[in-house]
């Protein structure tokens, strides 16, 4: 994936954690209200710019929790948030609205009243729906009775249902509205990895959703930076989809030659530009490893893997390592001297393999038998050396 696209998404994803909006006439908007049970706490009003949160104003709350902020109204919808520590209320402003917020700390993110802005009311609805989605995902991931396939299927059903609801009732209904823009950047967390619900990198249908909002913003707010940003994301996504489709077409195989196995196959380019399939390693004991080389723990872990590889490779042991690093050049440079198979998934935490293998944090590894059966994952393994020896 191109680095410029990663930067575009990075700025946009920062927006996904908080927002505030409104509409009226004039030069100033106003956000006021009460945050009770928060005496001596600092309440911030922050603009959620494309580069991340920017402080606009702040106040130390008194006994009543009353506050009042004002700011210059923009020519196009702009997003803000009220924040105390990690408790956030998302808002949106497109003119001179008089928004009133009432809440109680420390539950203000989930329980609050907002008046004076239909956009803010819709954003509240979306925020609560997102929290409900996260609870569902957490429940599936933590269910001890579910295997990898069951987790994958359950997550897929839940996410598809959620996306359908958000598309039909919020985004496509009024794509020019601020809450439609907000909905594009909702996230869901799988373990320690947070991903956009709508994937504008390589999911063709999701790219179309971004394109629909981008087209509306091009029409209603032709000079808005947010609209231009959306437009760039949609264009890059369309390019990526075409590339993926072309690669898939090139990889079409004779069905009679396809190896059937009991693992979920992965087919990605390695650091030398060669397509490597996990199922091609049938006959070897494989350590399937999900890794991020940009982490500070990476070097020590790579050294551990090298010791294991050197010890068992001659006996039929192989490592198939999937990098989730966003920077392709850094990944290629870092892995140039590795003796094992190292591929990279440019979709990172939104990768299908991450979801299918229920990867909740990195590094995570799995052991695969010579018959291409999934043996165990890291949390089930007490002695990796002993497990490898037993499979060899």
């Amino acid at each position: 994936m191109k680095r410029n696209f990663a930067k575009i998404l990075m700025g946009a994803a920062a927006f996904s954690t908080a927002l505030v909006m409104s509409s009226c006439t004039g030069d100033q908007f106003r956000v006021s209200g009460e945050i009770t049970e928060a005496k001596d706490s600092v309440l911030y009003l922050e603009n959620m710019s494309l580069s991340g949160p920017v402080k606009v104003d702040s106040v130390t709350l008194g006994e009543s929790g009353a506050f009042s902020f004002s700011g210059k109204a923009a020519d196009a919808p702009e997003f803000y948030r009220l924040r105390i520590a990690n408790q956030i209320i998302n808002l949106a402003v497109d003119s001179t609205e008089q928004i009133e917020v009432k809440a109680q700390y420390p539950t203000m993110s989930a329980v609050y009243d907002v008046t004076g802005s239909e956009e803010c009311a819709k954003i509240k609805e979306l925020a609560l729906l997102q929290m409900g989605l996260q609870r569902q995902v957490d429940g599936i991931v933590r269910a001890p009775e579910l295997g990898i396939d069951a987790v994958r299927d359950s997550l897929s059903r839940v996410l598809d249902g959620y996306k359908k609801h958000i598309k039909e009732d919020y985004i496509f209904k009024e794509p020019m509205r601020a809450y439609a823009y907000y909905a594009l950047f909702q996230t869901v967390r799988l373990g320690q990895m947070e991903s956009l619900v709508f994937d504008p990198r390589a999911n063709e249908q999701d790219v179309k959703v971004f394109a629909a909002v981008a087209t509306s913003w091009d029409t209603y707010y032709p000079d808005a930076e947010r609209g231009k940003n959306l437009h760039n994301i949609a264009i890059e996504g369309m390019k990526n989809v075409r590339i993926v489709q072309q690669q898939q077409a090139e990889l079409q195989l004779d069905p009679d030659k396809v190896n059937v196995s009991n693992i979920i196959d992965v087919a990605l380019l390695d650091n030398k530009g060669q397509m490597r399939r996990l199922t091609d390693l049938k006959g070897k004991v494989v350590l399937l490893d999900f890794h991020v080389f940009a982490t500070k723990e990476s070097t020590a872990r790579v050294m551990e893997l090298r010791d294991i590889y050197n010890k068992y490779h001659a006996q039929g042991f192989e490592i198939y390592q999937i990098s989730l690093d966003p920077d392709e050049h850094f990944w290629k440079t870092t892995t140039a001297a590795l003796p094992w198979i190292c591929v990279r998934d440019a979709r990172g935490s939104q990768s299908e393999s991450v979801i299918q293998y229920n990867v909740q944090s990195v590094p995570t590894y799995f052991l695969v038998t010579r018959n291409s059966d999934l043996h165990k994952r890291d949390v089930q393994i007490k002695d990796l050396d002993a497990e490898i020896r037993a499979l060899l």
Side-chain angles (χ1 to χ4, degrees):
M1 193 67 62
K2 295 182 179 179
R3 292 180 66 190
N4 62 335
F5 186 40
K7 291 179 180 177
I8 291 170
L9 281 178
M10 191 177 300
F15 150 87
S16 68
T17 56
L19 294 160
V20 181
M21 177 163 187
S22 50
S23 64
C24 272
T25 58
D27 298 325
Q28 296 281 317
F29 69 88
R30 184 168 177 263
V31 181
S32 60
E34 298 173 359
I35 308 292
T36 60
E37 305 299 323
K39 183 182 178 182
D40 296 329
S41 297
V42 178
L43 174 67
Y44 294 92
L45 175 68
E46 297 172 328
N47 172 229
M48 296 309 297
S49 74
L50 290 174
S51 301
V54 177
K55 177 185 171 183
V56 176
D57 202 352
S58 65
V59 64
T60 300
L61 297 175
E63 187 71 41
S64 68
F67 67 92
S68 180
F69 298 121
S70 61
K72 184 178 179 181
D75 295 330
E78 194 50 65
F79 298 92
Y80 296 83
R81 71 183 184 183
L82 293 173
R83 180 178 66 84
I84 299 177
N86 63 350
Q87 286 290 305
I88 292 166
I89 295 175
N90 300 321
L91 308 168
V93 178
D94 65 4
S95 186
T96 58
E97 290 150 316
Q98 307 294 301
I99 304 170
E100 185 172 7
V101 177
K102 292 186 177 181
Q104 179 176 306
Y105 188 76
T107 59
M108 57 187 270
S109 290
V111 184
Y112 67 94
D113 294 320
V114 59
T115 56
S117 169
E118 182 184 355
E119 295 284 2
C120 291
K122 289 289 187 181
I123 285 174
K124 176 185 176 181
E125 290 177 18
L126 286 163
L128 294 177
L129 287 170
Q130 182 182 9
M131 292 177 190
L133 171 66
Q134 188 63 62
R135 286 193 293 270
Q136 283 185 283
V137 168
D138 290 344
I140 293 169
V141 170
R142 293 169 183 166
E145 72 278 8
L146 296 181
I148 291 174
D149 290 343
V151 168
R152 177 196 61 200
D153 293 343
S154 297
L155 288 175
S156 180
R157 284 195 301 271
V158 167
L159 288 170
D160 287 347
Y162 183 83
K163 287 161 71 170
K164 183 175 185 293
H165 174 41
I166 299 303
K167 283 191 292 187
E168 293 178 355
D169 294 340
Y170 290 92
I171 297 177
F172 289 156
K173 203 169 187 178
E174 294 181 295
M176 79 295 295
R177 299 289 291 271
Y179 68 80
Y181 183 104
Y182 172 87
L184 290 178
F185 296 103
Q186 288 192 301
T187 61
V188 63
R189 188 180 61 258
L190 286 172
Q192 298 176 5
M193 304 177 72
E194 193 160 12
S195 307
L196 291 171
V197 173
F198 292 96
D199 174 15
R201 294 176 183 266
N203 184 302
E204 184 175 8
Q205 297 306 313
D206 290 356
V207 171
K208 290 178 180 178
V209 178
F210 271 77
V213 179
T215 300
S216 289
W217 277 58
D218 284 347
T219 301
Y220 284 85
Y221 315 107
D223 299 321
E225 287 301 313
R226 291 189 184 278
K228 295 175 182 177
N229 184 61
L230 276 183
H231 192 73
N232 290 336
I233 291 174
I235 290 175
E236 289 291 340
M238 291 174 187
K239 290 180 181 177
N240 293 333
V241 167
R242 286 195 293 270
I243 292 171
V244 171
Q245 290 174 340
Q246 182 178 351
Q247 290 175 342
Q248 290 175 340
E250 292 172 352
L251 288 171
Q252 290 301 314
L253 300 175
D254 182 340
D256 294 333
K257 297 179 181 179
V258 174
N259 294 323
V260 177
S261 67
N262 293 322
I263 58 171
I264 303 165
D265 198 13
V266 180
L268 293 166
L269 295 175
D270 67 13
N271 48 12
K272 298 177 180 61
Q274 180 181 350
M275 182 60 66
R276 308 300 294 262
R277 302 186 73 96
L278 179 60
T279 50
D280 287 344
L281 299 177
K282 188 172 183 179
K284 297 177 181 282
V285 172
V286 180
L287 179 74
L288 171 61
D289 185 63
F290 291 83
H291 192 82
V292 174
F293 288 90
T295 61
K296 62 182 181 180
E297 300 87 0
S298 175
T299 301
R301 176 169 170 74
V302 167
M303 294 302 293
E304 291 175 3
L305 291 179
R306 188 180 287 274
D307 289 342
I308 294 172
Y309 183 86
N310 291 340
K311 186 185 297 185
Y312 297 114
H313 178 64
Q315 302 174 45
F317 173 74
E318 186 57 81
I319 296 176
Y320 187 98
Q321 190 168 51
I322 302 176
S323 164
L324 303 176
D325 290 89
D327 189 324
E328 183 178 8
H329 177 72
F330 169 80
W331 164 69
K332 284 186 175 180
T333 303
T334 304
T335 61
L338 293 183
W340 55 78
I341 298 170
C342 186
V343 299
R344 173 177 169 269
D345 196 320
R347 292 166 294 183
S349 61
Q350 298 180 48
S351 158
E352 287 185 9
S353 56
V354 166
I355 295 173
Q356 290 171 338
Y357 278 92
N358 189 22
V359 176
Q360 301 177 41
S361 62
V362 287
T364 288
Y365 68 82
F366 301 81
L367 274 181
V368 180
T369 70
R370 291 184 184 272
N371 293 323
S372 286
D373 293 321
L374 200 60
H375 179 60
K376 291 180 181 179
R377 66 184 301 155
D378 50 2
V379 294
Q380 301 169 310
I381 297 173
K382 294 182 179 179
D383 187 333
L384 180 58
D385 269 81
E387 291 285 351
I388 293 173
R389 287 196 302 272
L391 293 177
L392 289 172

